[in-house]
């Protein structure tokens, strides 16, 4: 009776040959099981693109680990692949009508500033990403970034989940703004009923995200659970 399977490999397409073999395996379970994969958009080969285009609708749910749209940030994190390739790959994935692609950004990465996060969300909305997920960086013990924390200017909690508290580029207060921004995205952009309207507001109003976030914070709505209807009413009241 299992209907959804999450593949834990953080870079499903690192080995193109293996990726194609897995896609063929997944096809054996269509239409009964949907597979959730994390894919690196910079590492999309032409052959894998062709394979993805031919898959039946609903087989895959993709999460593109973009993390940041800033070259210096990705270089500092020793991220694989060129940013230009990642953006081209992400644009391709977001145009596929047979699957949904989510994109993730990570606040607290070295060199990543709050205003750049706002700008990157605007870019991803223009790509029509299925969801935009914004999370805070966690420095897990034993990882290279954890070992390099002092060198990278990162201060983080020594307690699980080891969340970043401050960097040389983003303050504790700004990380709280990013947390509230994540709540905004989940409540509005990542909610199918209000996604298209939210996307249009992001793209047409340069400071929409800043102003709407301020409105939600000032009215104490940002951390309150809201029904689907309540979210629509809040959006309508803001626009009005």
């Amino acid at each position: 009776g299992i209907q959804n399977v999450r593949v834990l490999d953080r870079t499903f397409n690192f080995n193109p040959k293996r990726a194609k073999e897995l896609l063929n395996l997944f096809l054996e379970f269509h239409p009964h099981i949907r597979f959730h994969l994390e894919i690196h958009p910079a590492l999309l080969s032409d052959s894998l693109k062709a394979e993805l285009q031919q898959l039946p609708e609903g087989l895959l749910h993709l999460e593109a680990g973009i993390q940041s749209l800033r070259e210096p940030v990705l270089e500092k994190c020793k991220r694989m692949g060129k940013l230009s390739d990642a953006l081209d790959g992400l644009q391709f994935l977001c145009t596929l009508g047979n699957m949904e692609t989510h994109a993730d950004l990570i606040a607290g990465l070295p060199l990543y500033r709050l205003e750049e996060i706002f700008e990157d969300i605007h870019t991803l909305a223009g790509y029509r990403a299925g969801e935009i997920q914004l999370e805070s960086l966690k420095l897990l013990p034993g990882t290279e970034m954890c070992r390099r924390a002092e060198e990278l200017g990162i201060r983080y909690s020594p307690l699980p989940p080891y969340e970043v508290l401050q960097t040389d580029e983003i303050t504790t207060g700004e990380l709280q703004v990013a947390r509230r921004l994540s709540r905004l995205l989940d409540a509005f952009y990542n909610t199918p009923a209000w996604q298209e309207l939210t996307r249009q507001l992001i793209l047409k109003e340069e400071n929409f995200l800043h102003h709407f976030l301020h409105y939600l914070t000032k009215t104490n709505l940002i951390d309150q659970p809201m029904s689907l209807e309540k979210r629509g009413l809040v959006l309508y009241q803001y626009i009005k």
Side-chain angles (χ1 to χ4, degrees):
I2 293 172
Q3 296 179 330
N4 290 280
V5 171
R6 276 182 172 266
V7 179
L8 297 183
D9 190 332
R10 306 296 290 186
T11 311
F12 155 76
N13 58 317
F14 180 74
N15 183 326
K17 180 176 181 293
R18 174 176 171 273
K20 290 179 66 174
E21 291 172 351
L22 285 173
L23 291 179
N24 289 332
L25 173 64
F26 299 158
L27 277 169
E28 297 178 17
F29 296 91
H30 180 74
H32 306 292
I33 297 179
R34 187 183 195 211
F35 294 87
H36 180 116
L37 306 173
E38 296 200 27
I39 195 165
H40 195 320
L43 304 180
L44 279 176
S45 64
D46 290 339
S47 61
L48 186 57
K49 285 181 179 180
E51 291 278 339
L52 292 172
Q53 287 176 311
Q54 296 170 13
L55 293 176
E57 184 174 355
L59 177 66
L60 295 187
H61 174 121
L62 298 180
E63 184 172 328
I66 198 78
Q67 299 190 354
S68 169
L69 308 189
R70 309 286 156 167
E71 193 82 63
V73 174
L74 299 179
E75 289 178 357
K76 198 73 171 177
C77 298
K78 298 185 178 181
R79 184 77 172 155
M80 291 183 298
K82 296 180 181 178
L83 176 60
S84 58
D85 292 338
L87 295 179
D88 289 344
L90 182 60
Q91 283 186 300
F92 166 79
L93 293 172
C94 290
T95 63
L96 294 176
N98 55 343
M99 63 192 70
E100 186 173 295
T101 299
H102 295 181
D104 72 319
L105 298 173
I106 301 181
L109 291 173
L111 304 184
Y112 206 13
R113 301 181 185 279
L114 178 63
E115 194 55 38
E116 292 173 332
I117 295 173
F118 276 96
E119 293 169 0
D120 288 353
I121 291 170
H122 184 278
T123 300
L124 293 177
Y127 287 1
R128 303 186 68 84
E131 283 190 11
I132 302 173
Q133 300 166 350
L134 174 61
E135 302 293 339
S136 294
L137 179 65
K138 283 83 174 173
L139 292 193
L140 301 182
T143 61
E144 181 181 356
M145 192 169 285
C146 182
R147 290 192 292 269
R148 298 172 60 210
E150 185 174 352
E151 167 201 340
L152 297 171
I154 299 174
R155 272 74 76 193
Y156 65 99
S157 171
L159 303 175
Y162 311 104
E163 193 163 359
V164 168
L165 304 175
Q166 184 178 350
T167 74
D168 289 346
E169 290 75 32
I170 193 165
T171 66
T172 302
E174 288 173 331
L175 280 171
Q176 287 302 308
V177 173
R179 182 192 64 80
R180 293 194 292 271
L181 181 57
S182 175
R183 295 275 297 176
L184 183 158
L185 292 171
D186 285 343
F188 296 93
Y189 186 93
N190 297 341
T191 299
W194 306 117
Q195 183 177 86
E196 190 55 36
L197 177 56
T198 305
R199 178 187 287 117
Q200 291 301 322
L201 289 167
I202 290 173
L203 297 178
K204 292 181 179 179
E205 301 292 335
E206 183 180 355
N207 292 311
F208 165 73
L209 285 173
H210 293 83
H211 292 161
F212 190 40
L213 182 59
H214 176 73
Y215 171 78
L216 293 174
T217 303
K218 190 173 82 169
T219 54
N220 295 317
L221 291 170
I222 192 63
D223 287 319
Q224 289 186 19
M226 290 185 282
S227 67
L228 193 62
E229 294 76 12
K230 173 71 171 178
R231 295 176 211 181
L233 180 60
V234 168
L235 200 53
Y236 171 76
Q237 289 173 334
Y238 170 79
I239 295 170
K240 186 179 177 181

